[in-house]
Amino acid sequence: MMDVLQQATDALRAGKLLLYPTDTVWSIGCDVRNEEAVTRIHQLKNRNPPQPFTVLIAEIGQLHDYVQKVPDIAWDIVEFAEKPLTVVYAKGKNVAPGILAADGSIAIQLVKDEFCQKLIRKVGRGVVYTSANVAKQAKPFALADVDASIQEGVDYIVQVPNRPATTKKLLPTIFRLELNGQITFIRK
């Protein structure tokens, strides 16, 4: 696994696009600060900005890196979530503009997947997370489900040894968390 981890890390640091498995779906990722790579993902997915992407983090403390003001309740909600959870925060920072929504909000998920955690820690920052599908197509739960145009359009396909061919077939719960603690569900 170390060779795969190093190759994925090198690719991210070089501004490349990854196709990689997460704890939910197969995803396309890049360095969260690389605007050129973020633009390439929008093009590859046939998605027009400002359709935002999610930032995967490996540790809850990384929220400070990407959210201007973290609501107090966020720490407990995110840390103790049992299922994958994406939280949309009011104001993002330190990411390429193409990751943010038109209102400046940012979506962040604390990843549970061991490989993803190691990758994020090794890179030293969050990684873009967006399903590896062309806009309006089904989300891929296995590499075999990923459209050929996506596989050909990325720079590196992460294949972790001894990893199941299919992800857990879960989609994250998504909600918006306001500074006052108000929660609005986007997907349950």
Side-chain angles (χ1 to χ4, degrees), residues 98-115:
I99 292 174
L100 301 174
D103 66 358
S105 62
I106 188 167
I108 299 180
Q109 182 176 326
L110 178 64
V111 70
K112 310 273 188 204
D113 180 84
E114 180 184 356
F115 175 82

Side-chain angles (χ1 to χ4, degrees), residues 106-141:
I106 188 167
I108 299 180
Q109 182 176 326
L110 178 64
V111 70
K112 310 273 188 204
D113 180 84
E114 180 184 356
F115 175 82
C116 291
Q117 287 177 339
K118 288 179 180 179
L119 177 63
I120 293 163
R121 287 182 183 121
K122 193 161 177 70
V123 171
R125 62 176 61 136
V127 174
V128 168
Y129 159 75
T130 181
S131 57
N133 60 323
V134 176
K136 308 217 191 275
Q137 288 185 350
K139 296 184 183 331
F141 294 104

Side-chain angles (χ1 to χ4, degrees), residues 3 10 16 19 27 34 46 69 86 179 187:
D3 287 342
D10 292 346
K16 306 292 184 184
L19 177 59
S27 300
N34 188 316
N46 259 351
K69 173 100 173 86
T86 299
L179 290 173
R187 178 173 62 210

Side-chain angles (χ1 to χ4, degrees), residues 10-38:
D10 292 346
L12 287 173
R13 288 181 177 156
K16 306 292 184 184
L17 301 187
L18 298 183
L19 177 59
Y20 67 107
T22 67
D23 44 9
T24 56
V25 298
W26 273 79
S27 300
I28 305 170
C30 69
D31 179 336
V32 295
R33 295 183 183 173
N34 188 316
E35 182 63 24
E36 185 178 314
V38 170

Side-chain angles (χ1 to χ4, degrees), residues 141-156:
F141 294 104
L143 180 57
D145 300 334
V146 178
D147 189 271
S149 67
I150 299 286
Q151 291 191 41
E152 293 164 8
V154 299
D155 302 300
Y156 182 68

